[in-house]
Amino acid sequence: FNNSAIVSIIDCDFISTPGMPYTCEFSIDNPLRRDDFERVGGEHIDGNQDVNVLRVEGIDQNTMIVPRILCIQFRSLEEMYFDDSGIEVITTHAFEHCLNLKSLTLEHNSITTIPNMAFSHSRSLELLDLNNNQISSLSPNAFLNTRLWYLNLETNHLTNLSADWFSSVRETLLLLDVANNRITQLQDNVFAELVNLV
């Protein structure tokens, strides 16, 4: 069996529904964790092009990473949805071209940690859903430069919470979900700086 014979592909079915954002429903087969894609394939609906794509959606796909080509090619992208797709790692370059991203859902994957500056280029990011992963820790600057008001960390492997994790969103974070983790004790004043938490 020759691993080099495995070809990684990304292809879109473009969806245009009245009242909904122009969407790429993508399929991806990326068992080798490649991140050198040159293009996402697929035929646009008449009158649309890459710049019109505002949402990408993948459910039950096969990739260990979020390929950066999605935000490079679809530069107006505002919403990204990866559900149950085997994602294990958020690379430092995954979202560097996601300048307009507002909503990111990475639920039901296998992510273990959120690295430093992971979303630092996504200055419009407001909603982040990481529910049902295997996250046990966050880097202190994981959410730096975002405008997060909603953060879902439900059903992960967190054993504690640190005030440092949320310091970069202290003024914007309104809703925080940490249900169904492994937390047994909270530090004093862990939420004290979250001045708008409701």
Side-chain angles (χ1 to χ4, degrees):
F1 183 76
N2 183 358
N3 276 343
S4 63
I6 298 175
V7 178
S8 299
I9 59 168
I10 305 177
D11 201 24
C12 277
D13 286 328
F14 291 101
I15 309 294
S16 180
T17 305
M20 300 294 290
Y22 185 52
T23 298
C24 155
E25 289 187 356
F26 62 86
S27 59
I28 180 170
D29 185 24
N30 188 23
L32 298 182
R33 198 188 288 185
R34 282 183 48 190
D35 201 12
D36 58 352
F37 298 98
E38 294 182 1
R39 183 139 189 90
V40 178
E43 294 294 324
H44 281 289
I45 295 170
D46 287 348
N48 290 284
Q49 51 190 334
D50 288 348
V51 72
N52 299 113
V53 177
L54 299 181
R55 177 180 169 88
V56 294
E57 180 178 310
I59 301 173
D60 194 22
Q61 299 301 311
N62 179 22
T63 184
M64 294 183 184
I65 64 166
V66 176
R68 58 185 170 170
I69 188 63
L70 293 171
C71 289
I72 293 173
Q73 184 167 330
F74 305 129
R75 61 184 182 273
S76 301
L77 197 61
E78 295 181 355
E79 301 175 29
M80 184 182 293
Y81 185 87
F82 264 96
D83 183 5
D84 196 19
S85 294
I87 298 170
E88 296 179 1
V89 176
I90 293 179
T91 67
T92 54
H93 302 293
F95 302 102
E96 69 179 347
H97 297 281
C98 296
L99 305 182
N100 298 299
L101 193 65
K102 294 180 181 179
S103 175
L104 174 61
T105 298
L106 298 170
E107 62 184 6
H108 296 98
N109 285 289
S110 302
I111 300 165
T112 57
T113 188
I114 306 299
N116 219 20
M117 311 287 283
F119 311 106
S120 62
H121 296 280
S122 303
R123 296 175 181 266
S124 298
L125 189 62
E126 297 176 338
L127 290 88
L128 179 58
D129 189 342
L130 296 163
N131 128 68
N132 268 283
N133 276 277
Q134 299 171 19
I135 297 169
S136 57
S137 67
L138 304 172
S139 298
N141 291 318
F143 311 120
L144 190 67
N145 293 336
T146 70
R147 299 189 338 211
L148 281 185
W149 63 263
Y150 174 79
L151 175 60
N152 187 350
L153 293 166
E154 182 183 351
T155 313
N156 276 281
H157 296 176
L158 297 171
T159 57
N160 70 324
L161 297 176
S162 169
D164 291 343
W165 296 350
F166 311 114
S167 61
S168 60
V169 289
R170 61 180 296 275
E171 295 181 356
T172 60
L173 196 63
L174 301 177
L175 303 174
L176 173 65
D177 190 340
V178 291
N180 296 318
N181 275 276
R182 302 172 180 180
I183 300 166
T184 56
Q185 185 175 4
L186 290 175
Q187 300 173 9
D188 289 343
N189 300 318
V190 68
F191 303 119
E193 289 194 2
L194 298 176
V195 293
N196 291 306
L197 193 68
V198 294

